[in-house]
Amino acid sequence: MDIFTKVIKNKGPLGQYADQGHGYYYFPKLEGQISNKMIFKGQECIVWSLNNYLGLANHPEVREADTKGAAAWGMGYPMGARMMSGQTEYHLELERQLAAFEGKESAYLLNFGYMGMISIIDSLLDRHDVVVYDSEAHACILDGLRLHMGKRFVYPHNDMVSFEKQLERAKKLTDETGGGILVITEGVYGMSGDLGNLNGILAFKDQYQFRLLIDDAHGFGTMGHNGKGTSEHQKVMEQVDVYFGTFAKAMAGIGAFVASDKQIIKSLAYKMRSQIYAKSLPMPMVVGAMKRLELIKTRPELREKLWTIVRALQWGLKENGFDIGNTASPVTPVFMKGGVGEATQLVQDMRDHYRLFCSIVIYPVVPKGVIMLRLIPTAVHTLEDVDYTIKTFKIIKQKLDAGEYSTGGVPYAGDEF
């Protein structure tokens, strides 16, 4: 079969509904300024789907820093990969600030978090090494592991009994190969909202002599007393060997960083293919990230407001009988029962008639028969938003239980691709 014929025919588990949902369930267009309320399909909606935890996307000081950075440098500077012609004192200064914030010797900026994580994993390992990782690891971790030519063992999410068994398997191999063991976990799991069991993992570190890499994309800026992340929250910052954080969540920007010992960062800088062969982070994003980091460090009230909204939303949902799983972070999943048809009809009703916009997660991300609605609280949401959302969820849950969303398959709501 011709390769293009195969590609067109096999759209994947999500693409099979592209005609019904493009521009609505997938690739929706949210218009207006980034805030708690935006425009969808001509209607103002309360939006719970933006990674803007601290409300920095439109914070006046951030907007000013971004504007000044673009005016002074343009979007092109520095023009080139970091190793060749993309190095500036601003990049180095931001790295120094991030390293100090995370209590590490050194840090390195990454142009994109996803590609950065792939290269971190690729650069840390050789074929003699073994990886042990959580089954709910993010796609960027899984893609990084695809490049690893050695063995890798997965343990069920946060299952410490299985984790130790995988460590035992890994240790037997590395004793033979002379390689090492790298354990990879997330700080905050972005779908379920629960935390990686860092204390449980680290309890085995002395015995099995592994190194720990933590992907803390959703934890950086939101977790811990000072916003330093899940490792601060669980009081294990010094025991995390390699810390990865992104600017795309709490900092509402683009880019990421990795922090570790100076020699490890030096090695990564000379080996990470996604950074060596790609453009350096543009100057407006660098100076903008400095301002964002400053606000994380000096404006704890932003984090306090976030957690006020988080607690009100999560407590209200639980008090009204909703299943929000094991979340211990701002990420708030709401689990219901139903198929793809019911899920899409429910979401269409919620968006069109109740002006409430949140993300829908269906199989294969969650098991068949499960609907997951994922809410991301932010510091710009209000308690009135929370109250309205909980009331709306009660209404749609009653409709779901009464079978009102079981009238057919996936409704056509999409735009032409």
Side-chain angles (χ1 to χ4, degrees):
M1 183 184 294
D2 174 71
I3 188 169
F4 280 8
T5 303
K6 287 193 294 182
V7 168
I8 294 169
K9 189 174 182 179
N10 180 18
K11 297 184 179 70
L14 298 178
Q16 63 180 308
Y17 302 112
D19 291 341
Q20 296 100 314
H22 184 80
Y24 193 95
Y25 308 117
Y26 314 127
F27 303 98
K29 295 185 287 289
L30 289 169
E31 300 173 305
Q33 294 293 316
I34 297 171
S35 189
N36 60 323
K37 294 181 180 179
M38 297 181 70
I39 305 299
F40 177 68
K41 298 292 184 181
Q43 292 193 102
E44 185 180 70
C45 296
I46 299 174
V47 179
W48 297 98
S49 294
L50 303 178
N51 292 322
N52 182 32
Y53 287 116
L54 301 180
L56 296 183
N58 271 317
H59 190 284
E61 293 184 40
V62 169
R63 290 289 294 263
E64 182 182 11
D66 290 347
T67 300
K68 287 183 175 179
W73 302 101
M75 289 302 296
Y77 183 78
M79 184 54 71
R82 189 81 179 272
M83 181 179 282
M84 300 298 291
S85 57
Q87 181 87 314
T88 77
E89 182 56 37
Y90 291 89
H91 287 69
L92 294 171
E93 176 57 25
L94 177 54
E95 287 169 347
R96 286 190 285 265
Q97 292 180 17
L98 287 164
F101 187 61
E102 289 300 329
K104 300 299 182 188
E105 288 183 349
S106 189
Y108 194 78
L109 293 181
L110 306 166
N111 46 25
F112 284 100
Y114 195 106
M115 299 307 298
M117 176 55 76
I118 291 174
S119 276
I120 290 167
I121 294 172
D122 180 43
S123 300
L124 287 174
L125 302 168
D126 66 29
R127 63 187 179 88
H128 301 295
D129 300 322
V130 180
V131 179
V132 178
Y133 67 101
D134 192 289
S135 63
E136 292 189 8
H138 190 270
C140 65
I141 295 172
L142 300 181
D143 284 353
L145 292 175
R146 289 176 178 177
L147 298 177
H148 178 44
M149 294 184 290
K151 292 288 186 178
R152 54 184 187 265
F153 298 126
V154 61
Y155 59 95
H157 179 54
N158 275 346
D159 184 335
M160 293 297 99
V161 174
S162 176
F163 174 66
E164 184 176 17
K165 291 180 179 177
Q166 306 315 315
L167 285 177
E168 290 173 353
R169 298 174 68 190
K171 185 69 165 54
K172 288 180 181 178
L173 283 174
T174 55
D175 285 346
E176 297 173 1
T177 65
I181 302 172
L182 178 66
V183 172
I184 306 177
T185 184
E186 293 186 50
V188 174
Y189 283 83
M191 284 294 168
S192 63
D194 66 340
L195 308 183
N197 188 352
L198 303 185
N199 281 288
I201 289 170
L202 288 165
F204 296 100
K205 195 176 187 186
D206 288 341
Q207 181 179 355
Y208 292 97
Q209 296 295 300
F210 57 79
R211 296 293 188 172
L212 176 62
L213 165 60
I214 172 176
D215 175 349
D216 207 23
H218 287 270
F220 176 70
T222 67
M223 302 297 296
H225 180 72
N226 300 292
K228 297 181 180 181
T230 311
S231 53
E232 181 190 32
H233 175 72
Q234 297 192 28
K235 298 179 173 60
V236 294
M237 290 183 70
E238 294 181 358
Q239 298 177 67
V240 174
D241 297 291
V242 182
Y243 181 90
F244 169 90
T246 179
F247 303 155
K249 305 296 189 295
M251 289 176 73
I254 294 176
F257 71 97
V258 56
S260 186
D261 297 342
K262 184 176 181 179
Q263 291 304 317
I264 294 298
I265 295 300
K266 183 178 181 180
S267 175
L268 290 175
Y270 277 83
K271 293 169 66 178
M272 289 188 292
R273 293 168 64 85
S274 67
Q275 309 306 305
I276 294 171
Y277 298 101
K279 192 178 186 301
S280 178
L281 199 63
M283 187 67 78
M285 298 175 187
V286 174
V287 296
M290 287 186 190
K291 173 55 69 173
R292 289 162 168 83
L293 181 59
E294 175 192 322
L295 294 177
I296 288 174
K297 292 191 288 187
T298 62
R299 303 288 178 83
E301 64 270 18
L302 297 174
R303 196 160 43 256
E304 291 166 5
K305 174 64 186 305
L306 164 66
W307 279 98
T308 295
I309 299 300
V310 170
R311 285 189 287 268
L313 178 65
Q314 295 183 355
W315 181 86
L317 288 167
K318 287 193 290 187
E319 282 292 298
N320 283 279
F322 288 95
D323 178 7
I324 64 170
N326 298 315
T327 183
S329 71
V331 178
T332 305
V334 179
F335 296 96
M336 301 181 186
K337 295 181 180 179
V340 174
E342 291 166 307
T344 50
Q345 291 185 52
L346 179 155
V347 167
Q348 189 177 41
D349 188 24
M350 187 165 57
R351 292 179 182 178
D352 291 354
H353 300 134
Y354 297 98
R355 294 172 286 106
L356 198 64
F357 189 104
C358 66
S359 298
I360 174 178
V361 183
I362 55 175
Y363 177 83
V365 180
V366 293
K368 288 183 177 180
V370 173
I371 301 169
M372 189 178 93
L373 300 174
R374 178 174 175 258
L375 292 84
I376 302 293
T378 73
V380 295
H381 282 103
T382 67
L383 293 177
E384 289 76 18
D385 294 336
V386 171
D387 184 60
Y388 179 81
T389 298
I390 292 170
K391 289 178 179 177
T392 300
F393 268 54
K394 290 173 66 177
I395 293 171
I396 64 169
K397 180 66 163 55
Q398 290 172 355
K399 288 186 173 184
L400 177 67
D401 292 343
E404 292 188 33
Y405 301 129
S406 302
T407 57
V410 178
Y412 277 78
D415 304 326
E416 185 176 351
F417 186 81

